[in-house]
Amino acid sequence: LPPIADNVAMRINNSGQVSLWKMDATMHSNPAVWTGSSRDTLKNPSDYLSGVASSINNQGQVAGWVGASANLVDSSSTLRGVVYTQGIARVLGTLGGRDSRVDAISDTGKTVGIADLANKQRHAFVDDGKTMTDLGALPGGDSSEAFAINTAGEVAGVSDTPTHQDHAVIWK
């Protein structure tokens, strides 16, 4: 990528496409894909002002999250996981709470990340395009997050314990 200060590269696929996010002139972040010599900005779904492209698979599907305010770290802003297939956005739901975020997408199109529960806890999830499944937390733990998924459906992430220590987790 050329040295452009307003871009943050997140992942690269086997074709050399890079998922990234960039700041525009209005200071909104926008998901984008770098393909060789050009940067293609992905359109945020309506009602969402900012977005991040956190992952890209070998089919060119891009995943990340979008926010209802210009500031993605605004605690009062709703965040939702999003998947772009050929530039068309599909906004994910949650596990009963307000927010969700996609951290990775597999070559089969399954996504993983973190979503809020109705009780304000946050859990790792896997979403197959139809159903978001709560992966839970370690026994006695409150929270978990999934960071990676392979084509076999194995998910890597982290979960806390009753003493709030984080531990690596593999969900199969």
Side-chain angles (χ1 to χ4, degrees):
L1 294 171
I4 303 172
D6 63 350
N7 290 274
V8 177
M10 300 293 283
R11 300 281 196 295
I12 188 168
N13 69 12
N14 291 340
S15 299
Q17 294 175 302
V18 177
S19 63
L20 58 96
W21 57 276
K22 68 177 195 76
M23 297 296 287
D24 66 18
T26 64
M27 298 307 291
H28 294 139
S29 64
N30 294 286
V33 175
W34 180 264
T35 306
S37 61
S38 67
R39 180 183 63 198
D40 298 317
T41 301
L42 299 169
K43 187 174 187 242
N44 287 323
S46 61
D47 298 327
Y48 295 95
L49 300 176
S50 294
V52 169
S54 61
S55 186
I56 187 167
N57 68 14
N58 287 317
Q59 283 64 48
Q61 289 178 293
V62 176
W65 60 91
V66 290
S69 80
N71 181 352
L72 284 173
V73 296
D74 177 358
S75 63
S76 65
S77 175
T78 299
L79 298 178
R80 288 295 167 90
V82 65
V83 177
Y84 294 90
T85 303
Q86 298 177 349
I88 306 297
R90 178 176 62 87
V91 178
L92 278 66
T94 69
L95 295 171
R98 187 182 74 173
D99 298 332
S100 64
R101 188 177 73 220
V102 175
D103 291 322
I105 186 166
S106 74
D107 286 340
T108 61
K110 290 183 178 179
T111 57
V112 296
I114 189 169
D116 292 348
L117 304 172
N119 66 3
K120 308 273 191 224
Q121 291 179 340
R122 304 177 88 198
H123 279 185
F125 71 82
V126 62
D127 186 289
D128 64 5
K130 296 178 183 169
T131 304
M132 180 181 281
T133 302
D134 184 348
L135 296 176
L138 289 172
D142 293 328
S143 65
S144 60
E145 184 167 1
F147 296 113
I149 182 170
N150 64 20
T151 55
E154 297 169 318
V155 177
V158 65
S159 179
D160 72 351
T161 65
T163 59
H164 302 291
Q165 294 179 344
D166 288 338
H167 286 275
V169 177
I170 302 287
W171 290 275
K172 293 185 180 194

